[in-house]
Amino acid sequence: MISKEEFFTIVIPTFNRFNELVISLPQFLKLVSNNSEIIVIDQSNDGLPQDNIVFLKSMCSGANVRYYLSEKPSLPLSINTGAHLAKNDIVFILDDDLDIIDDIIIKHLPYYSDLSVSAVAGSYYAGNYSSPWVPTEISGRAKTLASAHMSARKEVLLSIGAATWLKKPFTTIDWELAESINEFGKVVVAKDCFVFHRAPSVGGCANQGFRSVEWYKNTIHNHYLWLRNRRFPLSLLKLPKHIFTIIKYNIPGLGSLISFEFWKEVIIPAVRSGRNTYKKYNKIRPSEIFEDREIKLLFETKKFD
């Protein structure tokens, strides 16, 4: 039986959300044991003022924490780099805007006693307690997960990783990652394990409160890559689902999707961009990490300092 005293790593990607991070981080610090660690990968474009660094380092004193800074914002790169840097076998990926309402460590770790389990998809309340989100599952396998609240074996994240050819706002990352991991092993759903996802409209992927033309172009670009990366005939069978999802999240409505202007300014450029990206990576899904010059260690604290 795996216990909380086993080794695990919590990876926290963050982007322009210092005020959210300082609410969540103390809650995450309460989860870690002597054997465990937290890795923060901050991609904020303000360079993190010195006063903020001093404050965060003081907050983390007495725990195993490494705090990295990168000027290249990318959720997939942050997930993959965090797994690469992790010292422990089980890696949690948690958003910077979560409230911990369950002991998620105790609830996730027992699943890994089953060696066929590669990852655990956690649940969350989306902005209020009347909106629970639980990953869908079929035959005991999660069909999606949330990179806001998940865990996986390090070896799986190193082998599969998040697809780094996705563009911001990194739409499709969660569904595509669940599908990719399920090909490697099994993603299970932690139905009774919740966090509260505050999901502010600023920072992060910046996709909650505002959707520009670029948002739609990049979303269709990401769907194109996910579709092309699937084996035939699955790619063909899943095409209607991709179209339905794009329509569902199109705020202006169906009318704009069938307009000449939308096709000219969004759909055609997005498909061309996706095709170019697919060729750039030689038709192979990439799961890269930050290069050494793209990330630096700001500070490190240790449990017994």
Side-chain angles (χ1 to χ4, degrees):
M1 176 68 68
I2 296 179
S3 73
K4 187 174 177 178
E5 292 305 313
E6 292 295 327
F7 295 77
F8 63 88
T9 296
I10 296 175
V11 175
I12 310 166
T14 184
F15 176 69
N16 287 348
R17 278 186 178 166
F18 176 79
N19 291 337
E20 297 295 330
L21 181 64
V22 296
I23 296 172
S24 298
L25 188 54
Q27 301 178 63
F28 298 155
L29 289 167
K30 292 179 181 179
L31 297 174
V32 295
S33 64
N34 295 345
N35 298 326
S36 305
E37 62 175 349
I38 292 176
I39 296 174
V40 180
I41 301 185
D42 192 331
Q43 308 138 77
S44 302
N45 53 20
D46 60 4
L48 203 62
Q50 185 62 34
D51 288 349
N52 291 2
I53 297 174
V54 172
F55 181 78
L56 287 165
K57 187 173 183 180
S58 175
M59 178 184 290
C60 296
S61 62
N64 300 318
V65 179
R66 284 177 283 161
Y67 198 108
Y68 292 87
L69 182 65
S70 174
E71 296 180 357
K72 183 178 181 180
S74 170
L75 177 58
L77 283 171
S78 296
I79 291 172
N80 298 343
T81 302
H84 177 78
L85 293 168
K87 296 178 179 179
N88 302 317
D89 294 333
I90 305 298
V91 179
F92 286 77
I93 310 296
L94 300 177
D95 251 5
D96 57 5
D97 58 345
L98 299 181
D99 290 328
I100 302 302
I101 56 176
D102 273 336
D103 192 330
I104 60 175
I105 306 301
I106 289 295
K107 290 192 173 182
H108 274 245
L109 291 183
Y111 287 101
Y112 292 102
S113 297
D114 180 349
L115 296 181
S116 71
V117 172
S118 295
V120 177
S123 306
Y124 64 81
Y125 293 103
N128 62 76
Y129 286 100
S130 63
S131 299
W133 182 86
V134 179
T136 56
E137 64 176 332
I138 297 177
S139 301
R141 290 177 181 264
K143 301 304 293 182
T144 185
L145 51 74
S147 53
H149 174 205
M150 62 166 287
S151 65
R153 297 187 191 274
K154 174 177 177 174
E155 63 180 298
V156 172
L157 289 176
L158 293 182
S159 299
I160 304 297
T164 50
W165 57 13
L166 302 178
K167 291 185 176 182
K168 188 179 178 181
F170 309 115
T171 41
T172 75
I173 184 173
D174 296 336
W175 303 320
E176 194 271 352
L177 183 57
E179 184 174 285
S180 298
I181 295 177
N182 271 321
E183 292 182 1
F184 186 92
K186 181 168 66 173
V187 183
V188 296
V189 177
K191 299 177 184 177
D192 64 340
C193 183
F194 281 84
V195 294
F196 185 86
H197 195 196
R198 300 191 298 273
S201 61
V202 295
C205 292
N207 62 341
Q208 287 95 349
F210 177 70
R211 296 182 183 179
S212 64
V213 168
E214 200 66 21
W215 190 97
Y216 289 106
K217 285 169 63 176
N218 290 348
T219 293
I220 294 171
H221 165 278
N222 294 347
H223 274 276
Y224 176 91
L225 290 172
W226 184 15
L227 188 65
R228 286 297 303 269
N229 191 58
R230 285 185 167 126
R231 298 185 185 94
F232 185 83
L234 182 61
S235 57
L236 182 61
L237 295 173
K238 291 291 186 178
L239 178 58
K241 178 65 174 178
H242 285 273
I243 295 173
F244 170 79
T245 302
I246 291 169
I247 294 172
K248 179 180 178 181
Y249 291 99
N250 186 58
I251 290 176
L254 180 60
S256 66
L257 278 175
I258 60 176
S259 69
F260 173 78
E261 290 80 9
F262 195 83
W263 275 80
K264 179 182 176 182
E265 300 296 330
V266 177
I267 295 179
I268 293 174
V271 172
R272 285 175 177 168
S273 176
R275 186 171 62 232
N276 290 338
T277 301
Y278 194 62
K279 290 179 180 178
K280 174 185 174 182
Y281 286 96
N282 297 315
K283 305 179 182 180
I284 299 173
R285 175 187 181 275
S287 55
E288 305 149 301
I289 64 173
F290 284 117
E291 297 179 12
D292 289 343
R293 60 183 174 81
E294 295 174 334
I295 190 169
K296 64 178 180 179
L297 179 65
L298 279 186
F299 66 81
E300 180 177 9
T301 59
K302 295 186 178 180
K303 181 70 176 179
F304 300 108
D305 279 355

